[in-house]
Amino acid sequence: MKAVLFQGEKVTVVEKPLPPAGRDEALIRTAMAGICSTDRELLAGYHDFAGIPGHEFVGTVVRAPARPELVGRRVIADINCGCGICTWCLAGDPRHCPERTTLGIRGRDGAFAEYLSMPLRNLHLTDESLATEEAVFAEPLAAALEVGQQVHLKSRDRVVVLGDGTLGILIALSLRLACPRLLLCGRYPEKLRVAEAQGVETRLLEPGGAPADICRELGYFGAVVEATGQADGLALAIELARPEGTVVVKTTSHEPSAISVARIVVKELTIIGSRCGDPELALSFLKNRWIDVKPLIEAIYPFAHFDEAWHHAGRRGTLKVLVSFE
Ligand SMILES: [Zn+2]
Ligand SMILES: [Zn+2]
């Protein structure tokens, strides 16, 4: 099969054998994959990853010895593959399994390839009403929805989401249903308009603005979600939180963040890290059309033009770039 490989700082397409699929795993033919900023962080050295990247995908099961009825079905997957026997796995949450592998991120080849393999227990069937280019959003949408699973947001809270990348917009679109006083702040008018079109209030922030000036303009928030993808986003998030407020951190930057711990102490803030979420919840949001993800698609490239897709995704101000294998 053809697969994308990260080798040092280079992205190449190579010929590889089909991924091994054990008895409790499925071999899946990739239908579509999404390029994510995490993929760029991996290339920059995050997690010391070497192998096939790609963790946002939808595909078709082609082999599943233990569950042959799945052959031919469209699936997405929970990307965290646990050992199955530790306390985290037994509690049904492999995201923190110490032995876990993560599709295209940690110890497991990913979805920028014609085929991939996943444990059967990680698979989720997609609803037939969902287009391929909608279902491919299940992973990032699950990560966006995780914020609402972790923080008890109240309808009267002022909430701000920092960052108008795909993740920031998905977070704003999912939280707006419970938090009408939500504001999305970003750098790109055309991206903010995508969220505005679905009822989100937005504000354009000029680059290089001092956090104190931004606070004077916007006021303070009970909950701040930091999804800028930038190492310095956390400092602004801490400033924007009101005393006893909550800061949810989504950015996984390869660069360390410099913050004033004293500000956290003095304001008595709660800082919450937030990673992957529940794919089944994301599928239900998509199926019920509570969020329209299609306006977030910047471009769809055939896999044969992966190189162009990768460069397009790396341009500043780009929304979701998808790669089609069909
Ligand atoms: Zn991602
Ligand atoms: Zn485990």
Side-chain angles (χ1 to χ4, degrees):
M1 67 168 184
K2 285 193 167 44
V4 169
L5 215 55
F6 280 0
Q7 290 170 311
E9 306 235 310
K10 271 192 66 181
V11 180
T12 51
V13 176
V14 297
E15 196 64 40
K16 291 260 289 181
L18 287 184
R23 192 173 150 72
D24 294 321
E25 294 187 316
L27 182 69
I28 297 160
R29 187 170 60 238
T30 314
M32 191 169 272
I35 299 177
C36 168
S37 54
T38 303
D39 301 321
R40 311 202 87 79
E41 291 292 330
L42 291 174
L43 193 62
Y46 173 61
H47 272 323
D48 284 329
F49 180 77
I52 304 172
H55 56 274
E56 302 175 2
F57 83 98
V58 54
T60 304
V61 176
V62 291
R63 201 165 68 218
R67 289 192 58 196
E69 76 279 9
L70 290 178
V71 172
R73 301 295 301 273
R74 268 286 150 114
V75 291
I76 56 112
D78 187 331
I79 65 174
N80 295 287
C81 308
C83 68
I85 51 171
C86 73
T87 48
W88 286 101
C89 288
L90 290 176
D93 187 359
R95 297 175 313 148
H96 299 295
C97 169
E99 302 294 327
R100 73 184 180 278
T101 60
T102 308
L103 183 73
I105 293 176
R106 175 170 145 155
R108 177 176 282 267
D109 278 339
F112 296 157
E114 290 173 306
Y115 293 86
L116 63 103
S117 67
M118 281 302 272
L120 289 167
R121 63 171 171 265
N122 285 58
L123 300 184
H124 298 266
L125 293 172
T126 69
D127 193 79
E128 275 162 20
S129 70
L130 284 181
T132 304
E133 63 268 30
E134 294 175 298
V136 75
F137 278 88
E139 196 279 333
L141 180 56
L145 288 164
E146 179 67 4
V147 175
Q149 301 292 300
Q150 293 174 290
V151 186
H152 181 191
L153 296 163
K154 299 182 204 79
S155 57
R156 275 170 294 172
D157 280 343
R158 289 192 80 209
V159 176
V160 65
V161 179
L162 302 177
D164 54 4
T166 306
L167 184 60
I169 293 176
L170 288 174
I171 292 168
L173 292 178
S174 46
L175 294 185
R176 84 190 193 288
L177 300 168
C179 305
R181 300 181 70 200
L182 179 137
L183 181 68
L184 171 68
C185 293
R187 293 270 156 85
Y188 300 95
E190 65 283 4
K191 296 212 273 185
L192 293 173
R193 272 196 291 275
V194 170
E196 277 165 22
Q198 293 184 56
V200 174
E201 188 186 339
T202 69
R203 188 71 63 93
L204 188 70
L205 294 185
E206 297 301 332
D213 293 338
I214 296 171
C215 289
R216 252 192 303 280
E217 188 192 331
L218 300 182
Y220 294 90
F221 297 84
V224 183
V225 184
E226 195 284 310
T228 62
Q230 306 293 323
D232 61 3
L234 185 54
L236 174 60
I238 287 169
E239 285 308 313
L240 282 171
R242 66 155 165 74
E244 295 189 345
T246 300
V247 174
V248 182
V249 189
K250 275 289 185 189
T251 294
T252 50
S253 171
H254 182 55
E255 300 282 322
S257 299
I259 55 165
S260 163
V261 175
R263 296 292 289 154
I264 299 171
V265 175
V266 171
K267 292 170 87 171
E268 298 193 313
L269 301 180
T270 302
I271 310 282
I272 295 179
S274 178
R275 201 176 88 220
C276 300
D278 177 359
E280 205 57 51
L281 180 64
L283 285 175
S284 99
F285 264 66
L286 291 170
K287 188 178 80 178
N288 289 301
R289 314 276 161 201
W290 290 329
I291 288 178
D292 183 7
V293 292
K294 289 194 294 301
L296 279 80
I297 300 170
E298 173 102 11
I300 303 177
Y301 287 86
F303 183 48
H305 295 184
F306 185 86
D307 207 43
E308 276 172 62
W310 181 258
H311 284 108
H312 190 165
R315 271 183 238 150
R316 286 181 62 82
T318 308
L319 279 172
K320 182 59 71 186
V321 174
L322 299 173
V323 179
S324 173
F325 293 75
E326 294 185 316

